[in-house]
Amino acid sequence: MGFSKEQLLERLQAQQIKFSQYEHPVVMTVEAQAKYVGHIKGGLSKNLFLKDKKHRFYIVSALSDTKVDLKVLSQRLGLGKGGLRMAPEEAVGEILQVPLGCVTPFALVNESAQHVSLMLDEGFKTQECCFFHPLSNDTTISLHIQDLHKFLKSVGRMVAYVDLEANPPVGKDQPPDLAALVPSDTSSITDVSEKTAALQIDNSKPVSVTVTGKVSKVSSGQQKEKMGNTGNSFADPEKLIEEILEKIKVENIKQHGEQLGDVAFARLHKNLSSDLKSLAVMFKNTAYTEGFFAGTHCPPKRL
């Protein structure tokens, strides 16, 4: 079961996030919602729940009058034309765990939605307050966009503001400007973990492991020398991986700009750092094991 409206509102209050609450009949569209809160100064939101061909999901939250072209957005994400479409109705309940008509950024509080990417309309920043359903479409709350930002960060979500009406060129010399917001493939992460757990080391063949992870056959003498050279690199696997990820972060910021670069790095760090650290520890242990093997099984030198 996902969060209820009451649980969400209690969480907002516990975080001292100010909001106003408006009860009304169940509404299924922004136009119907406007009949009850449209007279209040602020920005009404429309929220699209989308999927791509690889079954990755997105919430696009925009001001009601913002024009969102899915073909253009698909290209900006690097998905090609027609890469985005509306998610099926059953996915709303299974992934976001909210009823139809209740899609908003607040649905990302649910664990089942942790891999859903979020894009917020830059136009929200110009509004005194913004209106969203709090997981139930018989209620609307208004709050400042920075308070929504605060809430999303509290549940571990990076926030990306996007000019949803922009149409920048995409080509060989102009990479997709929103590519960093494409969710990582969760299946590929699982595959990495499974392959790591299943990896077997053949102790009959001495190997040398370097920082790049390449494996090569070496003599026993070379084995000891290489062990001495690489020992310091693997002494602290967590530090090594953090250094690698920091270099990736710098490259992401250069390519996508500071905001999207930070989003891409946070997602990469969350999804892959533990796997990479496990691999580094495994390489370290393997190197020590092989060094010991080489030292105890090499034939004595003849004088």
Side-chain angles (χ1 to χ4, degrees):
M1 291 290 291
F3 271 65
S4 67
K5 175 179 70 175
E6 291 73 23
Q7 289 173 320
L8 174 65
L9 296 180
E10 287 175 4
R11 186 159 184 165
L12 293 176
Q13 291 171 341
Q15 292 180 254
Q16 298 183 336
I17 290 177
K18 296 180 180 180
F19 63 89
S20 297
Q21 183 174 340
Y22 309 93
E23 305 292 336
H24 52 70
V26 170
V27 294
M28 297 299 293
T29 64
V30 179
E31 291 75 19
Q33 183 186 29
K35 294 179 181 179
Y36 302 100
V37 296
H39 61 285
I40 305 170
K41 194 171 184 180
L44 286 169
S45 66
K46 60 183 178 184
N47 298 272
L48 308 177
F49 187 39
L50 308 171
K51 63 169 291 189
D52 64 23
K53 294 178 180 179
K54 292 188 177 180
H55 304 286
R56 296 172 296 203
F57 292 88
Y58 309 75
I59 289 178
V60 175
S61 187
L63 289 171
S64 58
D65 57 355
T66 295
K67 296 179 180 178
V68 181
D69 188 324
L70 294 187
K71 290 183 179 180
V72 172
L73 188 57
S74 295
Q75 290 183 304
R76 294 178 67 187
L77 289 165
L79 304 175
K81 292 183 179 180
L84 286 176
R85 65 197 71 182
M86 298 301 295
E89 292 184 355
E90 58 268 21
V92 176
E94 292 174 2
I95 296 175
L96 300 184
Q97 297 193 43
V98 297
L100 294 177
C102 302
V103 174
T104 72
F106 286 120
L108 299 183
V109 70
N110 292 316
E111 184 69 20
S112 55
Q114 63 176 319
H115 295 296
V116 176
S117 183
L118 172 66
M119 285 168 266
L120 290 176
D121 192 343
E122 268 193 351
F124 283 133
K125 293 181 178 180
T126 66
Q127 303 296 313
E128 289 187 15
C129 66
C130 305
F131 296 94
F132 300 93
H133 291 311
L135 308 181
S136 177
N137 54 354
D138 61 358
T139 305
T140 296
I141 63 172
S142 64
L143 75 170
H144 193 275
I145 194 61
Q146 286 302 322
D147 286 320
L148 174 64
H149 189 137
K150 176 182 177 181
F151 171 77
L152 290 168
K153 290 189 71 174
S154 76
V155 296
R157 300 306 302 253
M158 296 295 293
V159 180
Y161 295 96
V162 177
D163 181 356
L164 293 169
E165 292 188 338
N167 188 8
V170 175
K172 183 178 180 180
D173 299 322
Q174 293 93 13
D177 64 317
L178 302 181
L181 299 181
V182 176
S184 58
D185 291 320
T186 55
S187 59
S188 62
I189 297 170
T190 302
D191 290 343
V192 169
S193 301
E194 290 177 349
K195 290 177 181 178
T196 301
L199 185 61
Q200 299 293 324
I201 302 299
D202 184 354
N203 288 328
S204 65
K205 298 178 181 179
V207 296
S208 174
V209 183
T210 66
V211 175
T212 60
K214 294 181 180 179
V215 178
S216 58
K217 296 181 180 179
V218 295
S219 66
S220 60
Q222 291 173 322
Q223 178 74 34
K224 293 179 180 179
E225 181 181 353
K226 286 182 177 288
M227 282 298 299
N229 292 337
T230 61
N232 291 335
S233 298
F234 288 106
D236 189 347
E238 292 194 6
K239 182 179 179 181
L240 173 65
I241 296 305
E242 290 297 338
E243 290 175 355
I244 294 173
L245 290 175
E246 185 62 29
K247 292 179 181 179
I248 295 174
K249 177 181 179 180
V250 172
E251 291 303 315
N252 270 305
I253 291 175
K254 287 181 180 178
Q255 182 176 355
H256 302 294
E258 184 172 357
Q259 187 183 70
L260 294 185
D262 283 340
V263 172
F265 173 73
R267 183 169 292 133
L268 177 68
H269 191 282
K270 177 181 178 181
N271 292 333
L272 291 183
S273 62
S274 61
D275 286 330
L276 291 174
K277 288 174 183 177
S278 295
L279 284 170
V281 171
M282 183 191 69
F283 290 153
K284 172 186 173 181
N285 293 338
T286 300
Y288 286 157
T289 300
E290 294 302 331
F292 177 79
F293 180 88
T296 57
H297 291 75
C298 289
K301 294 181 178 179
R302 295 181 179 179
L303 296 176

